[in-house]
């Protein structure tokens, strides 16, 4: 088959068919298209203001590399702090992967802080999960992982004076969340995922999702075309629970396949319709966790993480006895994980 020229530059060879626009793009124009769309999304919602520092979670997954690339171009490497968290799952997220992450980030002038769930909690994710299961707690490993990671990113954001925490959720993730919230009748949850919603509490660093209009297949193609060293091992916990989200994911894939652009149109429409409501929504005032002092919903004694850990039999996580960060061994860029 003869090579096809890129629909944008008309010169270089097209390597990607972007089905939702019907265009064939070369590697360079595809990259420019993605970075441009991230930039527009960031500007549209005022996600990052001039001079702000952004902390980003760098897992070494495909989405995190695209986030790193786009943000180092949009805000500049000097305003980025990257944090990579070792979960502590046997056979996954090994030291070798961390070195690859460091190399890619260094090539963009970004330093990486490497830390672990063990450093923060006092036990690895695998240990927490195993102990919880032994005591009959029925949560998925992803619950412990997600909440711990979120807390660790927030901690480092405060330490480094970052104004925003950027996570690498893509369009597919966000569309799944919207449908799951809809199926549960949780319209407040839907509003809370809108970029104009501001969460409450002074020491909550706002979270932003710059990739929320970039398809998952696009980040996957991007890392292949740019030869990024993506983590080869898949998280062993990923297929363990056939959740509602997993079923929604499958259904949305079919819809997008039959009618490319479906997810993007849905999210654009939701953004428009829910924007004014999300903006008008008052952030709930927060209480304090009795054990660790972190913000928690009012009327709750413990924060979600302390509660989960208590169920799993951890009464004294390191972050709680450390008295708000003092005795935690906190990492600086280029330090090694413990
Ligand atoms: Zn081109
Ligand atoms: Zn707590």
């Amino acid at each position: 088959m003869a090579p096809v020229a890129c629909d944008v530059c008309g010169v270089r060879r097209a390597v990607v068919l972007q089905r939702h626009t019907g265009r064939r793009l070369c590697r360079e124009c595809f990259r420019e298209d993605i970075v441009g769309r991230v930039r527009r999304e960031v500007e549209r919602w005022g996600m990052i203001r001039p001079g702000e520092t952004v902390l980003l979670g760098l897992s070494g997954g495909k989405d995190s590399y695209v986030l790193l690339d786009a943000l180092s171009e949009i805000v500049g490497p000097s305003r980025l702090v990257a944090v990579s968290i070792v979960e502590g799952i046997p056979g996954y997220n090994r030291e070798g992967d961390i070195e690859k992450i460091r190399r890619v980030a260094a090539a963009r002038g970004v330093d990486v802080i490497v830390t672990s769930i063990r450093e923060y909690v006092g036990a690895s994710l695998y240990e927490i999960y195993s102990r919880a299961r032994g005591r009959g707690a029925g949560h998925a490993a992803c619950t412990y992982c997600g909440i711990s990671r979120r807390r660790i990113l927030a901690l480092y954001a405060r330490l480094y004076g970052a104004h925003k925490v950027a996570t690498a959720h893509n369009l597919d993730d966000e569309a799944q969340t919207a449908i799951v919230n809809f199926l549960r009748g949780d319209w407040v949850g839907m509003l809370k995922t809108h970029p104009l919603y501001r969460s409450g509490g002074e020491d909550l660093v706002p979270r932003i999702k710059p990739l929320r209009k970039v398809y998952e297949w696009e980040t996957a193609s991007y890392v292949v075309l740019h030869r990024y060293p993506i983590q080869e091992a898949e998280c062993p916990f990923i297929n363990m629970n056939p959740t509602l989200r997993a079923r929604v994911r499958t259904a949305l894939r079919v819809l997008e396949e039959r009618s490319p652009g479906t997810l993007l149109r849905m999210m654009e429409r939701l953004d428009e319709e829910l924007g004014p409501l999300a903006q008008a929504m008052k952030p709930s005032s927060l209480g304090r966790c009795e054990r660790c002092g972190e913000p928690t919903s009012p009327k709750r004694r413990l924060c979600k993480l302390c509660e989960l850990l208590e169920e799993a039999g951890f009464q004294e996580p390191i972050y709680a006895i450390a008295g708000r960060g003092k005795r935690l061994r906190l990492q600086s860029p280029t330090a090694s994980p413990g």
Side-chain angles (χ1 to χ4, degrees), residues 158-233:
R158 293 204 296 265
L159 277 169
Y160 281 80
H163 302 87
K164 301 285 159 63
V165 171
T167 57
H169 293 84
N170 59 42
L171 174 56
D172 299 58
D173 297 328
E174 292 304 281
Q176 287 156 26
T177 302
I179 297 296
V180 167
N181 281 331
F182 182 80
L183 292 175
R184 291 185 173 142
D186 184 1
W187 65 272
V188 173
M190 284 178 88
L191 290 179
K192 283 186 173 175
T193 59
H194 195 284
L196 289 180
Y197 172 74
R198 291 279 167 258
S199 48
E202 277 172 17
D203 47 6
L204 283 183
V205 182
R207 293 157 61 84
I208 56 170
K209 298 170 183 171
L211 302 186
R212 60 194 291 283
K213 293 291 169 60
V214 178
Y215 277 106
E216 188 177 325
W217 75 262
E218 292 185 297
T219 65
S221 304
Y222 186 101
V223 294
V224 170
L225 289 170
H226 290 87
R227 299 172 194 276
Y228 278 84
I230 36 171
Q231 193 155 308
E232 279 150 36

Side-chain angles (χ1 to χ4, degrees), residues 21-22 32 73 106-107 119 193 213 232 264 282 293 305 336-337:
T21 62
E32 240 170 72
E73 198 163 319
E119 272 179 348
T193 59
K213 293 291 169 60
E232 279 150 36
L264 186 59
K282 285 215 178 72
L305 183 58
S336 293

Side-chain angles (χ1 to χ4, degrees), residues 9-82:
C9 63
V11 179
R12 288 179 294 254
R13 188 174 150 223
V15 288
V16 165
L17 168 62
Q18 196 176 43
R19 290 189 63 205
H20 67 276
T21 62
R23 298 181 306 179
R24 287 171 204 277
L25 303 175
C26 70
R27 198 178 78 131
E28 287 72 14
C29 293
F30 179 56
R31 179 180 193 280
E32 240 170 72
D33 178 72
I34 288 184
V35 174
R37 278 154 58 206
V38 174
R39 187 193 299 275
R40 279 197 295 281
E41 194 68 11
V42 164
E43 286 171 357
R44 178 178 178 189
W45 309 112
M47 287 183 188
I48 305 165
R49 301 192 186 284
E52 284 188 341
T53 303
V54 181
L55 182 127
L56 65 102
L58 199 52
S59 66
K62 57 189 189 333
D63 303 318
S64 77
Y65 282 129
V66 177
L67 183 67
L68 171 72
D69 257 18
L71 289 188
S72 51
E73 198 163 319
I74 296 166
V75 298
S78 63
R79 300 211 172 278
L80 291 182
V81 180

Side-chain angles (χ1 to χ4, degrees), residues 151 289 291-294 302-303 306 319:
R151 284 278 292 269
C289 171
R291 183 161 297 160
C292 71
E294 289 290 317
L302 297 180
C303 67
C306 283
Y319 65 84

Side-chain angles (χ1 to χ4, degrees), residues 277-328:
L277 293 168
Q279 203 165 17
M281 199 160 83
K282 285 215 178 72
S284 43
S285 61
L286 295 167
R288 291 273 166 197
C289 171
E290 248 176 41
R291 183 161 297 160
C292 71
E294 289 290 317
T296 183
S297 349
K299 293 180 210 152
R300 283 180 76 127
R301 187 173 69 85
L302 297 180
C303 67
K304 190 75 195 159
L305 183 58
C306 283
E307 193 183 284
L308 286 170
L309 289 170
E310 188 173 75
E311 263 177 34
F314 296 90
Q315 305 288 342
E316 290 198 316
I318 288 182
Y319 65 84
I321 38 177
R324 324 202 74 209
K326 266 183 220 135
R327 269 173 45 203
L328 277 169

